[in-house]
């Protein structure tokens, strides 16, 4: 049997500023906090000389540059970890989509929301909804240490907040292979049978979040469907489920 693999997605709101010297953003009151990301034009072009000045303060380009910078910091940090604190990623395959999950990545997640009306402290800051994604790694002690190390680094390197709209996702896999259909059926049965227990592991804010409802709350089976309809594939898992 192939070894199990996993990957995590860490969601948070990352604070940044285009005017690092502005009063109220960088001050002695905040020395105990992690630094705000400097997204002034000078700072961006020092990190990325190819960044064109006409793209400055254009939301789309600023977000892409922010993602690129955080991803670079994460990857540099991981590359410097000792081998005992590194995980083993899935091997290179002929599938270009699967190969994307062989390194740490950063993307944006529009499900993250902040309500500044509840706090005046950060009203002068800008923020970006980012999701840091780990590679697909075999479930070993080294991989767990790598995820823990990156999580600690993010906490101390970037000023972030994790509110109830943010999530932590853990994906599991079977290496570079697809789960056999019979194994998926057994997993689905366990999730259905234990859903009430699994939900108790989540904070109340997540139990009532529409993005993470359990199968006994929001699924075809819960809605009364007797059997799933699918097109039997030649091998592996179903291609589509109605």
């Amino acid at each position: 049997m192939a070894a199990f693999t996993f990957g995590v997605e860490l969601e948070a709101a990352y604070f940044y500023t285009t005017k690092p010297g502005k009063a109220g953003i960088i001050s002695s009151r905040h020395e105990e906090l992690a630094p705000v990301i400097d997204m002034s034009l000078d700072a961006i072009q020092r990190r990325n000389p190819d960044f064109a000045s006409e793209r400055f303060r254009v939301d789309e380009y600023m977000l892409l540059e922010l993602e690129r910078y955080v991803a670079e910091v994460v990857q540099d940090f991981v590359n410097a970890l000792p081998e005992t604190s590194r995980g083993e990623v899935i091997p290179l395959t002929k599938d270009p989509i699967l190969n994307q999950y062989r390194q740490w990545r950063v993307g944006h997640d529009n499900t993250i929301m902040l309500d500044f009306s509840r706090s005046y402290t950060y009203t002068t800051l800008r923020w970006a909804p980012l999701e840091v994604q780990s590679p697909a790694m075999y479930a070993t002690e080294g991989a767990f240490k790598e995820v823990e190390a990156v999580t600690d680094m993010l906490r101390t390197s970037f000023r972030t907040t994790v509110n109830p709209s943010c999530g932590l996702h853990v994906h599991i896999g079977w290496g570079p292979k697809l789960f056999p259909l019979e194994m998926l059926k057994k997993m689905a049965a366990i999730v259905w049978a234990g859903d009430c227990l699994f939900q108790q592991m989540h904070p109340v804010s997540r139990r009532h979040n529409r993005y993470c409802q359990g199968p006994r709350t929001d699924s075809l089976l819960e809605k009364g469907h007797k059997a799933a309809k699918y097109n039997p594939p030649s091998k592996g898992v179903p291609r589509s489920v109605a």
Side-chain angles (χ1 to χ4, degrees), residues 19 57 123 136 152 187 240:
K19 299 179 179 179
R57 291 187 177 175
T123 52
D152 290 341
M187 292 168 62
S240 63

Side-chain angles (χ1 to χ4, degrees), residues 118-159:
R118 298 183 180 181
S119 173
Y120 65 87
T121 305
Y122 293 116
T123 52
T124 54
L125 293 181
R126 298 187 179 191
W127 64 278
L130 299 185
E131 178 181 88
V132 177
Q133 306 164 0
S134 80
M137 297 182 286
Y138 290 98
T140 63
E141 189 64 28
F144 300 148
K145 288 182 178 179
E146 180 173 327
V147 171
E148 181 180 13
V150 170
T151 304
D152 290 341
M153 182 277 293
L154 292 173
R155 186 182 297 113
T156 57
S157 299
F158 302 104
R159 190 176 303 183

Side-chain angles (χ1 to χ4, degrees), residues 62-100:
M62 293 291 281
L63 181 57
L64 288 173
E65 178 59 25
L66 195 61
E67 292 173 7
R68 188 204 65 79
Y69 171 60
V70 174
E72 182 180 79
V73 171
V74 171
Q75 196 58 58
D76 287 346
F77 174 80
V78 170
N79 291 341
L81 287 174
E83 287 299 319
T84 54
S85 296
R86 293 289 303 273
E88 180 185 355
V89 302
I90 57 174
L92 191 66
T93 70
K94 295 181 180 180
D95 185 345
I97 296 178
L98 191 60
N99 290 338
Q100 294 177 9

Side-chain angles (χ1 to χ4, degrees), residues 30-47:
H30 300 153
E31 288 179 353
E32 72 280 8
L33 300 177
V36 173
I37 300 174
D38 185 351
M39 290 293 287
S40 63
L41 181 58
D42 287 344
I44 292 175
Q45 292 184 330
R46 282 197 303 270
R47 297 190 296 255

Side-chain angles (χ1 to χ4, degrees), residues 46-59:
R46 282 197 303 270
R47 297 190 296 255
N48 180 13
D50 295 329
F51 187 87
S53 57
E54 58 267 22
R55 294 182 174 183
F56 184 59
R57 291 187 177 175
V58 178
D59 289 345

